[in-house]
Amino acid sequence: MPVEPPVSVWEFPPVAVAGSGDVVAAGADLEPGTVLAAYRRGLFPMPDSHGPLLWWSPLERGVIDIAGFSPSRSLRRARQRFEIRVNTAFDQVIRACADPSRPGSWIDEDIIASYTRLHQLGWVHSVEAWDGDELAGGLYGVAIGGLFAGESMFHRKTDGSKAAVAGLVELLDDKYAADRVLDIQWVTDHLATLGAVEIPRDQYVRRVQRALELPLPDAFAQGVSPQA
């Protein structure tokens, strides 16, 4: 099971202070206790290359509903092409997601260090799509009870990231599926094809509070990965 880190010295304001914007706060740190406290309040960190660390809670939050999830034919085909594994190549996954040559890349060394530490403590996980012995794509995110907050994904082979998303949905689809929250931050055109929808920020925060009371999915309750 995950190891609870020391409590953060920082206290986040309510997400409502953002008004019609998406940024709730600036500053603080990326210590494990701080990052977990943020997710529990409906926020996530994202660096600003021209200023302090920013803490976001989008006015319209992107989620994928697990209960009743209906993958498209192309998504089903993508999933069938790959083997899904959990936490067998976390460092490869986060480094691939952080590739500075990717458009919009925002994952810096501080983020990598923070989420790697959270991975070692059992809170952050990678979901990987494998084609034989080749890592074809994957994603990583934070799992707290019934919340899985997806952070980033990548692919090296066509449909590798799609398969990882489909595999993640399978891992979350249990008797608690109706109350689990799969957070994808913002809905992009690509994520919309995978079933992502927008919900209002206040609704998202209420759902997270319920989800935090749920047990972890079995796949994420097995302790840290062999690399930790």
Side-chain angles (χ1 to χ4, degrees):
M1 295 297 290
V3 176
E4 190 70 41
V7 175
S8 177
V9 300
W10 303 95
E11 183 174 348
F12 291 101
V15 297
V17 303
S20 60
D22 289 349
V23 176
V24 174
D29 57 41
L30 288 169
E31 289 297 313
T34 303
V35 176
L36 292 177
Y39 282 99
R40 286 167 171 151
R41 293 180 69 91
L43 295 87
F44 60 87
M46 187 174 289
D48 179 353
S49 59
H50 304 292
L53 178 67
L54 299 180
W55 299 87
W56 301 75
S57 185
L59 185 63
E60 297 295 328
R61 191 69 166 242
V63 299
I64 296 176
D65 287 322
I66 304 303
F69 180 74
S70 180
S72 65
R73 183 179 303 174
S74 64
L75 185 55
R76 291 196 301 271
R77 286 199 301 264
R79 169 64 185 90
Q80 292 168 359
R81 290 174 50 204
F82 302 101
E83 176 190 357
I84 300 300
R85 304 178 192 172
V86 174
N87 291 335
T88 68
F90 177 81
D91 186 64
Q92 292 183 59
V93 169
I94 197 170
R95 288 286 174 182
C97 289
D99 183 351
S101 68
R102 299 178 65 192
S105 178
W106 57 271
I107 302 170
D108 60 19
E109 289 298 324
D110 289 338
I111 291 287
I112 291 172
S114 174
Y115 283 74
T116 298
R117 179 58 180 147
L118 284 162
H119 170 67
Q120 293 167 345
L121 292 172
W123 297 98
V124 170
H125 306 273
S126 59
V127 178
E128 309 140 10
W130 289 84
D131 185 4
D133 60 359
E134 184 176 354
L135 180 60
L139 59 87
Y140 75 96
V142 181
I144 311 175
L147 167 68
F148 189 94
E151 284 296 302
S152 186
M153 62 184 182
F154 80 100
H155 72 274
R156 292 175 179 161
K157 287 193 169 185
T158 301
D159 292 338
S161 59
K162 280 186 178 182
V165 172
L168 173 59
V169 171
E170 292 172 7
L171 296 173
L172 300 177
D173 190 8
D174 59 14
K175 66 181 181 179
Y176 303 104
D179 291 318
R180 294 197 183 280
V181 175
L182 173 48
D183 167 31
I184 49 88
Q185 300 178 347
W186 290 280
V187 175
T188 64
D189 291 343
H190 174 62
L191 289 169
T193 68
L194 305 182
V197 297
E198 291 182 336
I199 61 174
R201 178 167 56 209
D202 58 349
Q203 179 182 340
Y204 171 81
V205 172
R206 290 195 300 270
R207 288 184 59 180
V208 166
Q209 294 310 304
R210 293 196 300 270
L212 293 177
E213 302 300 318
L214 300 178
L216 279 169
D218 290 344
F220 304 132
Q222 305 304 315
V224 298
S225 73
Q227 296 97 325

